Amino acid sequence: AAPAAPAGGGGGAAVVDVTDATFEADVINRSMAQLVLVDLWATWCEPCKQLSPVLERMAAESNGRWALAKVDVDANPGIAQAFRVQSIPMVVAIAGGRPVTAFNGVQSEAEINGWIDQILAQVGEVFTGVPADGEPADEPVDPRMAAAEDALNTGDFDGALAAYRTIAAAEPHNTEAASAARNLEFVIRAQAHDPEIVETAAPKDVDAQLAAADVLLLSQQPEAAFDRIIGVIKVTSDDDRTRARTRLLELFELFDPAEPFVVAARRKLASALF
């Protein structure tokens, strides 16, 4: 059976639009008395248009078990940055003033209900209205993540990558491990390229241009990196074009989707494709 709603329930509307300015009151403070799910979305995100209405209906029907806080990541980059958003839709569960867990992508109603039940079963006791000592408790350290970070800090990139991949595979909702794995995969691949490829890559040499984009991105030139791949998309077709588009979307995942250069590159990609 589903866990009962915490004593006292949560006040306010079941669904609320949240901004950078209202986040503390509408999410952090509210989460002291009630589970709050933060729905991170954007107007251009088609999967978001599938997930958000389901979440809104479920919140309205939850009888106070939890509330939904909706955040447009384009309009509220501060929140997106705080959650290290790499892709949307992303839903983060907040309880007792801190993130508990999260998931990315569209989930079925049954999957979401099961996820919520697990969270409430684990953290129901934190809903005391205020933190016991006036401050949120420190989040416990995951020893697996700590070991992966230690490997990374000692230069063992392959070992760290393997550790992050293992955690992400075992816990599909662990966005921190998945994000760390994506970033490490990119760094390892980019460092293997000859930096001269930026100057020597032929316009229609897909492999060379993708390598050049990696080198540019590694040197903190994301706009130039994205433009390289968009240029490839414009002059290729079929499998080569698909490969270039797939790589570009993978690189987008390394950044907050609200970053102006990501938004601009997505628009350029749309123009190149259509």
Side-chain angles (χ1 to χ4, degrees), residues 28-172:
I28 300 300
N29 291 346
R30 187 170 184 173
S31 75
M32 298 301 176
Q34 181 184 36
L35 178 65
V36 179
L37 303 188
V38 181
D39 175 20
L40 297 136
W41 64 281
T43 55
W44 47 262
C45 170
E46 291 300 322
C48 298
K49 296 175 184 177
Q50 300 176 44
L51 180 64
S52 290
V54 174
L55 290 171
E56 290 170 17
R57 176 176 53 77
M58 291 176 65
E61 296 174 352
S62 73
N63 296 320
R65 292 178 69 227
W66 56 277
L68 181 67
K70 295 177 58 61
V71 177
D72 179 342
V73 295
D74 287 341
N76 301 282
I79 297 175
Q81 185 66 35
F83 285 125
R84 300 178 184 175
V85 176
Q86 298 294 328
S87 65
I88 54 174
M90 178 179 181
V91 179
V92 183
I94 309 292
R98 63 182 179 86
V100 178
T101 185
F103 71 79
N104 287 87
V106 177
Q107 302 281 330
S108 70
E109 183 170 345
E111 289 173 320
I112 296 169
N113 269 324
W115 182 67
I116 292 170
D117 287 346
Q118 288 182 342
I119 295 169
L120 288 173
Q122 294 169 4
V123 303
E125 71 277 4
V126 308
F127 299 114
T128 58
V130 294
D133 59 359
E135 295 290 339
D138 291 337
E139 191 165 356
V141 176
D142 184 331
R144 301 166 304 163
M145 292 292 288
E149 186 173 349
D150 287 344
L152 182 62
N153 291 337
T154 59
D156 182 7
F157 285 9
D158 290 336
L161 177 56
Y164 285 128
R165 281 175 171 169
T166 298
I167 298 168
E171 300 176 5

Side-chain angles (χ1 to χ4, degrees), residues 129-214:
V130 294
D133 59 359
E135 295 290 339
D138 291 337
E139 191 165 356
V141 176
D142 184 331
R144 301 166 304 163
M145 292 292 288
E149 186 173 349
D150 287 344
L152 182 62
N153 291 337
T154 59
D156 182 7
F157 285 9
D158 290 336
L161 177 56
Y164 285 128
R165 281 175 171 169
T166 298
I167 298 168
E171 300 176 5
H173 299 316
N174 193 322
T175 55
E176 183 179 359
S179 175
R182 283 195 299 268
N183 279 279
L184 262 179
E185 287 167 356
F186 163 73
V187 170
I188 292 170
R189 184 182 72 230
Q191 288 184 337
H193 300 315
D194 181 349
E196 294 297 319
I197 198 70
V198 173
E199 304 297 332
T200 61
K204 291 188 178 182
D205 185 335
V206 177
D207 288 334
Q209 288 292 349
L210 295 183
D214 282 346

